[in-house]
């Protein structure tokens, strides 16, 4: 069984039991409505300007205008299953995806939603969506499923990211303003099972695959510059991908280790140039490429984190099991080093340990 479904299943089992049965809109087809919706399992967060939008189990969609201090639940969502990803391209236009190959759309900033596409007979989820603008976008998911739109979602049509007979799950799709094609278009990436990374230089029309020869799942990544990428994997794996030139025909690969074996779920670039990574089992790590160090905190709550957003210096918004929480790396270190503290926070700092670079040619 793919670890992604194991993780989602665990989240469902661990979702806060404080939600009352009366909160479920039985037989209406509408999402759960509850004052405790922000305590349920949240699977993804997205920021547009200063607004945060988040999705989770039972069709829950929440927005915050104060970086997570307070949350407002969407008024009407015609979906009752788990949502997995969300993105806004303007103050009004937003999309969310989830199980039953469902795509939702909002034209009022996430207050009300309609179904643009779903397939209730296909018992698997879309896992990630990336809208280039309000017309063009792509969503990917389980068993190699992928669909695109060029009319704002009026029509979603099947496309092929991978023709691998194994039908690997496609876990994350995103583009990079730091890595561009020869004609200046932002490159688009898909991270998936069996270490596969797919690259498109024409906004998702055609794809090439980078076979990293890593056999675990990759959950996502981020571009460092025109030639370097970081990719997140199972068991604490961080793949450091370095292309040898702008043609992206040859690359070298290294594996970084954050000192833990937890799967890593999200990565963001911080204002200070470092990178913050969230993970299962309470993991939060800061990756410093310049000084080649990793600072890792395992939070005392041990709650799995699905995504992370920087609020300010050393203040981060986390989402995942039991909703949202605010995190500080300095507080975690202080709790760990204070022998009189009853906190169960754990903290460590380590230097990179590089393996030998291995060249590949994927053409």
């Amino acid at each position: 069984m793919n670890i992604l479904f194991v993780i989602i299943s665990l989240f469902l089992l661990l979702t806060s039991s404080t939600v009352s049965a009366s909160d479920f809109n039985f037989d209406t087809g509408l999402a759960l409505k509850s004052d405790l919706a922000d305590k349920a399992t949240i699977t993804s967060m997205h920021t547009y300007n200063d607004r945060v939008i988040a999705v989770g189990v039972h069709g829950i969609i929440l927005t915050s205008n104060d970086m997570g201090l307070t949350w407002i639940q969407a008024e009407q969502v015609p979906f009752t299953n788990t949502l997995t990803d969300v993105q806004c391209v303007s103050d009004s236009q937003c999309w969310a995806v989830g199980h039953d190959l469902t795509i939702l759309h909002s034209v009022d900033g996430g207050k009300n939603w309609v179904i643009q596409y779903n397939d209730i007979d296909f018992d698997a989820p879309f896992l990630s969506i990336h809208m280039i603008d309000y017309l063009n976008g792509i969503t990917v998911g389980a068993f190699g499923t992928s669909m695109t739109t060029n009319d704002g979602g009026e029509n979603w049509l099947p496309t092929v990211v991978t023709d691998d007979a194994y039908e690997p799950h496609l876990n994350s799709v995103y583009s990079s303003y730091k890595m561009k094609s020869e004609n200046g278009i932002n490159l688009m990436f898909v991270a998936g099972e069996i270490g596969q990374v797919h690259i498109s230089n024409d906004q998702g029309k055609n794809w090439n695959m980078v076979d990293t020869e890593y056999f675990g799942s990759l959950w996502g990544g981020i571009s460092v510059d025109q030639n370097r990428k970081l990719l997140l994997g199972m068991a604490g794996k961080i793949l450091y991908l370095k292309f040898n030139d702008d043609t992206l025909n040859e690359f070298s690969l290294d594996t970084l280790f954050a000192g833990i074996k937890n799967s890593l779920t999200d990565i963001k670039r911080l204002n200070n140039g470092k990178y913050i990574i969230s993970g299962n089992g309470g993991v939060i790590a800061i990756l410093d490429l310049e000084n080649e160090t990793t600072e890792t905190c395992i939070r005392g709550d041990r709650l799995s984190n699905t995504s992370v957003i920087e609020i300010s210096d050393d203040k981060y918004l986390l989402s995942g099991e039991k909703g949202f929480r605010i995190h500080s790396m300095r507080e975690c270190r202080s709790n760990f080093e204070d022998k009189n503290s009853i906190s169960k926070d754990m903290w460590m700092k380590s230097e990179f340990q590089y393996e030998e670079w291995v060249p590949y040619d994927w053409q």
Side-chain angles (χ1 to χ4, degrees):
M1 179 181 292
N2 183 268
I3 192 170
L4 178 63
F5 294 109
V6 174
I7 293 170
I8 292 175
S9 297
L10 288 174
F11 282 167
L12 292 173
L13 290 172
L14 293 169
T15 301
S16 175
S17 60
T18 55
V19 176
S20 169
S22 62
D23 296 320
F24 290 86
N25 291 311
F26 293 116
D27 299 323
T28 67
L30 299 177
L32 171 148
K33 290 295 292 292
S34 173
D35 293 338
L36 299 174
D38 62 338
K39 303 296 189 296
T41 295
I42 302 299
T43 55
S44 181
M45 290 189 296
H46 171 77
T47 55
Y48 186 84
N49 292 333
D50 293 326
R51 189 164 59 96
V52 183
I53 186 165
V55 297
V57 295
H58 307 307
I60 289 172
I61 302 179
L62 299 158
T63 57
S64 175
N65 296 314
D66 52 17
M67 297 306 288
L69 291 178
T70 58
W71 293 92
I72 302 171
Q73 188 171 5
E75 294 175 6
Q76 182 158 313
V77 181
F79 188 66
T80 61
N81 211 333
T82 298
L83 293 167
T84 56
D85 196 19
V86 63
Q87 184 193 3
C88 296
V89 298
S90 69
D91 288 330
S92 59
Q93 296 275 349
C94 302
W95 281 263
V97 296
H99 283 237
D100 302 328
L101 292 188
T102 298
I103 304 171
L104 302 177
H105 180 224
S106 173
V107 296
D108 57 9
K111 295 179 182 178
N112 297 280
W113 297 78
V114 297
I115 295 177
Q116 283 192 332
Y117 181 88
N118 70 348
D119 184 351
I120 61 175
D121 295 323
F122 192 82
D123 188 21
F126 281 128
L127 297 170
S128 181
I129 187 169
H130 176 66
M131 297 298 296
I132 301 167
D133 50 41
Y134 72 96
L135 291 176
N136 301 283
I138 181 172
T139 181
V140 300
F143 306 111
T145 305
S146 53
M147 303 188 79
T148 60
T149 183
N150 59 12
D151 56 12
E154 290 294 323
N155 295 281
W156 285 93
L157 301 176
T159 189
V160 177
V161 173
T162 176
D163 57 3
D164 192 320
Y166 177 70
E167 296 185 333
H169 301 323
L170 304 177
N171 298 325
S172 176
V173 56
Y174 58 97
S175 65
S176 169
Y177 70 92
K178 289 182 174 291
M179 299 186 78
K180 298 180 180 293
S181 65
E182 294 179 351
N183 56 2
I185 296 176
N186 291 352
L187 295 182
M188 190 177 293
F189 297 88
V190 169
E193 279 192 305
I194 53 178
Q196 292 186 1
V197 180
H198 304 272
I199 303 178
S200 174
N201 61 7
D202 56 9
Q203 296 188 328
K205 296 180 180 67
N206 298 282
W207 297 85
N208 286 318
M209 187 187 76
V210 173
D211 187 356
T212 63
E213 295 193 2
Y214 168 66
F215 294 104
S217 290
L218 295 173
W219 304 121
I222 195 170
S223 297
V224 176
D225 52 32
Q226 175 64 24
N227 297 101
R228 293 181 294 165
K229 286 188 65 60
L230 294 167
L231 297 162
L232 306 181
M234 297 167 57
K237 293 286 188 181
I238 305 171
L239 303 190
Y240 193 10
L241 196 63
K242 183 178 181 181
F243 293 96
N244 296 338
D245 55 42
D246 291 344
T247 66
L248 307 183
N249 291 335
E250 294 184 357
F251 67 92
S252 302
L253 179 67
D254 194 12
T255 301
L256 307 180
F257 186 56
I260 44 87
K261 287 287 189 177
N262 306 53
S263 287
L264 306 174
T265 57
D266 189 24
I267 182 169
K268 301 285 175 54
R269 181 181 173 89
L270 300 177
N271 290 329
N272 61 13
K274 300 177 183 179
Y275 297 86
I276 188 164
I277 298 172
S278 63
N280 291 339
V283 166
I284 299 294
I286 303 288
L287 197 66
D288 185 342
L289 291 180
E290 181 178 354
N291 295 303
E292 299 190 333
T293 60
T294 302
E295 179 186 358
T296 303
C297 172
I298 302 177
R299 291 171 50 89
D301 56 33
R302 302 299 192 267
L303 297 175
S304 289
N305 303 304
T306 57
S307 53
V308 56
I309 292 172
E310 181 181 22
I311 299 175
S312 59
D313 178 47
D314 193 45
K315 187 177 182 181
Y316 312 103
L317 176 64
L318 307 178
S319 70
E321 288 183 65
K322 298 186 179 181
F324 307 93
R325 43 208 161 266
I326 302 298
H327 176 76
S328 162
M329 294 297 285
R330 285 195 287 267
E331 181 180 346
C332 178
R333 179 177 180 175
S334 176
N335 289 339
F336 176 72
E337 293 179 342
D338 183 357
K339 293 182 174 57
N340 295 319
S341 172
I342 61 172
S343 168
K344 294 182 180 179
D345 288 349
M346 297 181 65
W347 179 91
M348 67 194 81
K349 189 170 185 178
S350 59
E351 297 181 352
F352 289 176
Q353 295 182 356
Y354 288 103
E355 298 176 0
E356 182 181 357
W357 289 98
V358 182
Y360 296 89
D361 186 347
W362 55 278
Q363 280 196 332

